[in-house]
Amino acid sequence: MIALIGLITLTLVAVAAIATVMATNLFVASMWFGIFSLLMASNFFILDAADVALTEAAVGAGVSTVLFMGALALTGEKEAIRSRVSWFPMAVLGVLALALFVATFQQPMLGDPMAPVHQHVAPWYLEQTPKLINIPNVVTAILASFRGYDTLGEVIVIFTAGIGVLSVLSFKPKGRQSVSSEALAAKVRGVQHHSILRVVGKLVIPLLMLFALVVQFHGKYTPGGGFSAGALFAAAVMLYGILEGADRSAKAMPEKVMLRLAVFGATLYTSVGLVCMLLGGAFLDYNVLWPDPVVGQYFGILLVEFGVGLTVTTVLVMVFNAFANRPTY
Amino acid sequence: MMGTIFDWLSGLLLVAGGFFVLVGGVGVIRMPDLYTRIHAASVTETLGTMLILTGLMLHSGWELATFKLLAILVFLLFTGPVSSYALGNTALLGGLKPELGEQDPPKEGRES
């Protein structure tokens, strides 16, 4: 039964992917992309990867669709018509697709216990997590503790990406005036004239934030953690910005504060590692944070996930604001 | 005994919900323009999901899952019609005229 559902969703994924490529209207394409992400999220859920599914649904279907909209508002929604078919990239892609297709036959079957992925380090993680860290969600244990270095790297990547997007979008063409201050003013106003949207949106925002907090701080027991919680929290702030306009959004979450929080989140993660070193352990070795190593792990994961959540939230919101508030030239 | 009644009832609700989802899907394909399509889709959105979720609630019994389903139902009842409204309103503001039948001349000040 579950295989049948998986087959249907995977087919729909393929349909959505083809539709994304075929759509000439970029607005339509980004909508298809959102559908694609939602289908992928349900696929991840079928594979029992609830943490990934949550993040994919929040980031792929939610935040990135909004960011695409923001980018389209700056560029325009028609794809440039290309009459010439470029054969070389086509051939490369064809060969690559064929190689991947052939490679799928060499893959172990889904759920095969003898598959290399289940033989390597996974049994160790599953065995040791209850002893060393004592939390039910092994994914959080791996993400924040066993493989804490990787996660630190991811946070720094997100932080750097945010800085990159901000510096690109704050670029101002020399000697050119923004095309229409009217359009910018409309953006600043948001959808304040839609009473229904505002009322219902305001009902949704606190629930969304509450859910984000649950995902953030309950991530040791249920699916979730800093990344998905950050995306959800950012979605709530973006929704507020869309409903109430950029003015009030900037008043609620000033740019300066967000920039500092983004830096603080990444610094918090690193400094937890440094404190561990000062207390005589290795970098990000939470055992030394508390006399009882299990409690130490608990605090370490809590702090690190908090840092991740802060950075992800603020970077996503800042990128959204940068798109939404940029005048067109 | 109670269990079988609930099973039958939930089965009935699920089938009815499935029927309305199907009707909504057919409507989206068959209807002539955006506004009527939104109308058809909202059948799926409200009636279909309501029936299916109520059926699932009866199926799950008195458990935590029931309250989760109830929360989903309330959330969908709030957001579904609003998103339909937003879609229709944006289309109207964007200049998309509703298709009107020939026998039915457009009345002044009529809401679409």
Side-chain angles (χ1 to χ4, degrees), chain B residues 10-30:
Chain B
S10 87
L12 206 68
L13 286 173
L14 286 177
V15 169
F19 171 73
F20 281 115
V21 169
L22 195 68
V23 167
V26 171
V28 169
I29 296 171
R30 298 272 302 161

Side-chain angles (χ1 to χ4, degrees), chain A residues 193-194 196-197 200 203-204 207, chain B residues 75 78-79 82 85-86 89 93:
Chain A
H193 53 288
H194 282 292
I196 298 178
L197 285 185
V200 176
L203 274 177
V204 173
L207 290 176
Chain B
F75 184 78
F78 266 109
T79 53
V82 171
Y85 155 77
N89 190 280
L93 290 182

